[in-house]
Amino acid sequence: MSAKPIGIFDSGVGGTSIWREIHAFLPNENTIYLADSYNAPYGPKGKERITELSVKNVDLLIKKGCKLIVVACNTATTNAIKHLRANYHIPFIGIEPAIKPAALKTQTKAVGILATKGTLASDLFHETTDLYSNGIKIIEQEGEGIVQLIESGKLNSDEMKELLNIYLEPMLKANMDYLVLGCTHYTYLMPMLIEMLQKHIKIIDSGEAVARQTKAVLDKHQLLNNQKSEIRNQFFTNGNPEVMQSLLGKDFKVEYLKF
Ligand code: DGL
């Protein structure tokens, strides 16, 4: 049993959508969140650079005493998690696009997937897609520019709507009934997407599954916190704290940290 914090990192503010799920599911856990916004987006960077940046984030979280690390970034998971698991003794939880549930439930046999270039190009993504895409049309779309807009505080902008219209078009043409959000930043697009898409189209992400898996792994390693002391949730960014603060709301304090 351990009161040490769960470490969570992302290329930026997107992984706070995962932090939310974890905090809701495991309210008695201390957490430390790192937003590597200075280096965002990870998507266009190659596997080697994404791995280097992930190692940098993991080293800092370990230095801060974390007991488990959640890689709250599809791009970092699909490119670097094998390396991380092979090189550190601490447990890791990763996040991957929810292709499996979408492929199992689709009625129209067409599933749209919006993710970064780095995720769509990764071997891990292809392995999962190959497993579940039999008889199903998977329309892959790179969400170029979306992360940058969110990181610069332009979540609800006309530019964002224009980009989404372009990216959704081929998926709608293919008659998709499931849209998979394969990047943790994209979860913040949910309200806009619900407004833009017809009701029969379901939008799914992997946040809840990650929270469940985090609990299961903590439990397995006997690392759940059963102490009754006050809980701390710390948020660090090496980018603009205001953008992250506006996504998190006033209840949680965002601090600037150079890393
Ligand atoms: N939140 C990251 C993900 O889930 C965004 C990647 C990026 O920075 O391009 O993939």
Side-chain angles (χ1 to χ4, degrees), residues 8 14 20 46 58 105 125 128 132 137 146 155 167-168 176 194 218 226 234 253-254:
I8 304 169
R20 260 177 226 289
V58 165
K105 288 180 192 156
F125 174 76
T128 315
Y132 300 105
K137 193 165 181 208
I146 296 178
L155 173 63
Y167 296 159
L168 293 171
M176 71 157 171
I194 289 171
L218 284 176
N226 61 1
Q234 295 173 271
K253 188 169 158 260
V254 179

Side-chain angles (χ1 to χ4, degrees), residues 85-190:
R85 288 194 171 126
N87 286 278
Y88 293 89
H89 292 303
I90 185 171
F92 285 94
I93 308 292
I95 181 164
E96 283 181 68
I99 295 281
K100 182 181 169 183
L104 293 176
K105 288 180 192 156
T106 177
Q107 299 289 312
T108 61
K109 304 289 173 213
V111 170
I113 155 100
L114 193 60
T116 69
K117 185 178 174 183
T119 295
L120 295 176
S122 69
D123 293 341
L124 202 55
F125 174 76
H126 285 290
E127 283 160 23
T128 315
T129 311
D130 290 349
L131 271 182
Y132 300 105
S133 61
N134 203 358
I136 288 160
K137 193 165 181 208
I138 309 268
I139 308 101
E140 296 175 20
Q141 175 63 54
E142 183 188 330
E144 195 186 347
I146 296 178
V147 167
Q148 290 94 317
L149 283 178
I150 296 174
E151 288 291 327
S152 54
K154 292 182 186 159
L155 173 63
N156 295 308
S157 60
D158 289 343
E159 283 156 279
M160 183 69 85
K161 207 166 179 185
E162 271 166 39
L163 274 187
L164 290 178
N165 269 321
I166 296 167
Y167 296 159
L168 293 171
E169 199 192 301
M171 304 180 184
L172 294 172
K173 267 200 185 134
N175 195 24
M176 71 157 171
D177 60 354
Y178 272 83
L179 170 61
V180 177
L181 300 180
C183 168
T184 53
H185 281 73
Y186 301 172
T187 298
Y188 283 107
L189 299 171
M190 205 68 104

Side-chain angles (χ1 to χ4, degrees), residues 155-258:
L155 173 63
N156 295 308
S157 60
D158 289 343
E159 283 156 279
M160 183 69 85
K161 207 166 179 185
E162 271 166 39
L163 274 187
L164 290 178
N165 269 321
I166 296 167
Y167 296 159
L168 293 171
E169 199 192 301
M171 304 180 184
L172 294 172
K173 267 200 185 134
N175 195 24
M176 71 157 171
D177 60 354
Y178 272 83
L179 170 61
V180 177
L181 300 180
C183 168
T184 53
H185 281 73
Y186 301 172
T187 298
Y188 283 107
L189 299 171
M190 205 68 104
M192 198 180 250
L193 287 166
I194 289 171
E195 217 170 85
M196 291 171 78
L197 293 171
Q198 287 185 333
K199 282 202 173 52
H200 76 277
I201 301 175
K202 311 262 183 316
I203 311 166
I204 56 172
D205 64 15
S206 314
E208 203 188 316
V210 169
R212 285 183 193 284
Q213 180 67 1
T214 304
K215 186 174 182 189
V217 172
L218 284 176
D219 199 12
K220 185 176 146 209
H221 289 86
Q222 301 193 321
L223 286 172
L224 282 163
N225 180 23
N226 61 1
Q227 295 179 21
K228 292 279 172 276
S229 51
E230 206 187 314
I231 296 305
R232 273 180 94 191
N233 294 288
Q234 295 173 271
F235 297 90
F236 298 104
T237 176
N238 55 12
N240 181 352
E242 276 171 34
V243 174
M244 195 156 147
Q245 194 71 67
S246 73
L247 289 175
L248 275 176
K250 289 198 183 74
D251 291 345
F252 301 98
K253 188 169 158 260
V254 179
E255 293 171 61
Y256 175 79
L257 181 71
K258 202 171 172 188

